[in-house]
Amino acid sequence: MKKILFTTDFSANADKAFCFALNMAEKHQAELILAHVFDVPNVYNYPVEYNPSEMKSEMIKSWQRTLQEFFEHYDTDVKPKYVAIEHPSIVKGILFLIETYKTELVVVGTRGKNRVKEAILGGTTKSLLKRSPVPLMAIPEYTTQKDFDKVLYASDFREDDILAIKKLVQL
């Protein structure tokens, strides 16, 4: 495994999920990409000092700094790449990052900051499970673990399972 994508909304659950992403990057000596997908707020409700394109650029820089500050609390030799992108759909933004960076694993938390939005639109993790072209490690909200040593794989004995199991063995 060469590249791992960790996406965050900076929720408490995302902090828990990051421990798994960091452990996987350390064990596999993989490149770790820390990412945040955001949407630019409507300009007409926002005190604007910039034109919209400058505002987007400033927000990207701000979110990248926030990702760096998030990472500074961890003692590790891993040197992550910080990526912040604007996209109106969080799921489509993450799928874009998977394709762009050719990641082999995505690590996310199962519960984000915006529970009302999740209830109405459905969870980001749930949508990614259906649409991700690479394995997705979804870390439960109430986990107390920071790593794992056992994996349960449920199968319906289809040919697709062989490739999935091969990827799972790599983990």
Side-chain angles (χ1 to χ4, degrees):
M1 182 175 321
K2 293 182 171 73
K3 291 185 182 182
I4 298 169
L5 174 64
F6 170 74
T7 62
T8 183
D9 62 356
F10 302 102
S11 65
N13 187 218
D15 284 344
K16 292 177 183 180
F18 181 68
C19 292
F20 283 84
L22 185 57
N23 283 334
M24 294 297 287
E26 288 172 339
K27 285 180 183 177
H28 294 276
Q29 297 176 342
E31 180 180 358
L32 180 60
I33 301 161
L34 270 68
H36 177 67
V37 180
F38 66 94
D39 191 13
V40 176
N42 293 331
V43 175
Y44 62 86
N45 283 339
Y46 211 76
V48 180
E49 296 177 20
Y50 310 101
N51 70 39
S53 64
E54 288 177 357
M55 185 174 159
K56 179 178 170 180
S57 173
E58 289 300 313
M59 289 182 81
I60 288 171
K61 289 177 191 172
S62 175
W63 283 120
Q64 286 174 328
R65 281 191 302 273
T66 303
L67 285 165
Q68 289 173 324
E69 290 166 4
F70 169 83
F71 183 74
E72 286 173 358
H73 304 325
Y74 293 89
D75 182 27
T76 180
D77 292 332
V78 173
K79 304 288 185 231
K81 180 178 199 112
Y82 304 104
V83 178
I85 65 163
E86 184 274 331
H87 202 289
S89 165
I90 303 301
V91 172
K92 288 180 182 176
I94 294 170
L95 293 172
F96 171 80
L97 291 171
I98 293 168
E99 180 67 28
T100 301
Y101 291 98
K102 308 290 187 237
T103 58
E104 297 166 276
L105 176 69
V106 178
V107 181
V108 296
T110 58
R111 180 67 70 181
K113 277 187 176 179
N114 194 336
R115 291 177 188 237
V116 173
K117 186 176 177 183
E118 280 186 29
I120 296 168
L121 301 175
T124 300
T125 304
K126 184 177 173 183
S127 295
L128 283 173
L129 280 170
K130 293 178 182 177
R131 300 177 63 187
S132 177
V134 298
L136 178 76
M137 182 182 281
I139 307 304
E141 177 180 16
Y142 298 109
T143 189
T144 56
Q145 294 177 237
K146 295 184 187 259
D147 201 355
F148 64 94
D149 58 2
K150 294 179 185 174
V151 175
L152 172 65
Y153 182 83
S155 176
D156 57 1
F157 302 104
R158 293 180 16 191
E159 196 168 322
D160 294 352
D161 288 342
I162 295 170
L163 178 60
I165 291 170
K166 284 181 182 179
K167 288 188 177 203
L168 189 58
V169 168
Q170 291 176 357
L171 295 178

